[in-house]
Amino acid sequence: MSRLGRIISGGATTLPGADGGPTPLQLKNLEQQNERMKQALVKLRDLTNQDKQEITALTKQITSLESEINQLQTEKERLTNDLKESIEQTIELKEQVDASLGADTMVSQLTQRNLELEEMLEKVKEERNDLEILCEMNDELQENSRETELELREEIERANTQINQLVRHLDATRETIADYEQTLGKFRDLVADLQTQNSDLQRSLADGKRLQEQQQQLHSTVATEFASSAVPFMATKLGATSQAQTLAKVIEAELRRLEAEQSANHVTRLSAFLPDSFLRRGGDNEALLALLLIDRLTGKCDLLANHVSS
């Protein structure tokens, strides 16, 4: 019998009343029976839920057991394969052991090979040491090359600075040369003007000398022709002529002195615009003074020659 049947059968039965209707006792029993039925239904629901939970847990356990069975089956297959491989390796090792029983020659060969490998290892170590030394030398050379490169860069920068300074000095020198050339051009123009004035003065002196010679010849002729008859008159005339000549010479001397002063002032004012190198010892000023000295000496020699000849 199920739990529900047992619960339902546990309810009490009542007898009908005398008049065929339910009695209060029967109603009370029915209410109690209904209450028990409700409690039985609640218990049935709880039991059903518990059964469902148990079924779910059992299902999970079954699934887990199936997974474990599959894993164990896989592990069994793997172990079986490992066992086969181990058996095969055992057979191979047994064959190798059987083969190594008579392998004295192989042992000696391996020993010789080992010695050769040790020698090769020593050589490799020596080569490694040599390479380490070479690496250190290479590092030192690289460091020295970097230092040399830095020094060369500094020298290049200094050389570039010197070149820039020389270029600026060259530009300044060119400007100075241009100024000198301009000054020399002005000086050449001035020398040309002075030479022109000197030529004019020399021509004036030559003209004065010719006039003086003509006057002297004229006076000599007049004195010869009229010496006997017009001595008083000639004396008066000659006195007036000598006074006029003296006045002309004085005026001419004053004019020449004025021209000389103006020329000296002109040269002095021009010298203020000339560079210092022009007035320096051994410069162009001394050459100009030498030329002027030669001109003065020439003029003085001419004057001396004229006075001596007269």
Side-chain angles (χ1 to χ4, degrees), residues 250-268:
V250 170
I251 293 171
E252 186 177 358
E254 289 294 330
L255 290 174
R256 290 179 180 177
R257 185 179 62 79
L258 181 60
E259 289 178 357
E261 289 179 355
Q262 289 180 352
S263 298
N265 292 328
H266 190 193
V267 172
T268 302

Side-chain angles (χ1 to χ4, degrees), residues 17 27 36-37 47 54 61 66 71 76 81 85 102 137 162 167 171 189 194 198 217 221 250 262 265 273 293:
L27 291 173
R36 284 194 298 271
M37 290 292 289
L47 290 173
E54 290 178 356
Q61 289 179 0
E66 288 178 353
Q71 291 177 357
K76 178 184 176 183
N81 293 327
E85 291 178 358
M137 293 175 65
Q162 292 178 358
V167 169
D171 293 336
D189 295 336
L194 291 175
N198 190 13
Q217 290 177 0
T221 304
V250 170
Q262 289 180 352
N265 292 328
F273 297 96
L293 178 61

Side-chain angles (χ1 to χ4, degrees), residues 152-178:
L152 290 175
R153 286 182 179 177
E154 291 177 356
E155 290 180 359
I156 290 170
E157 290 178 356
R158 288 195 296 271
N160 290 328
T161 304
Q162 292 178 358
I163 289 171
N164 293 328
Q165 291 177 355
L166 290 174
V167 169
R168 289 194 295 271
H169 182 68
L170 180 60
D171 293 336
T173 304
R174 287 176 178 174
E175 292 178 358
T176 305
I177 290 171

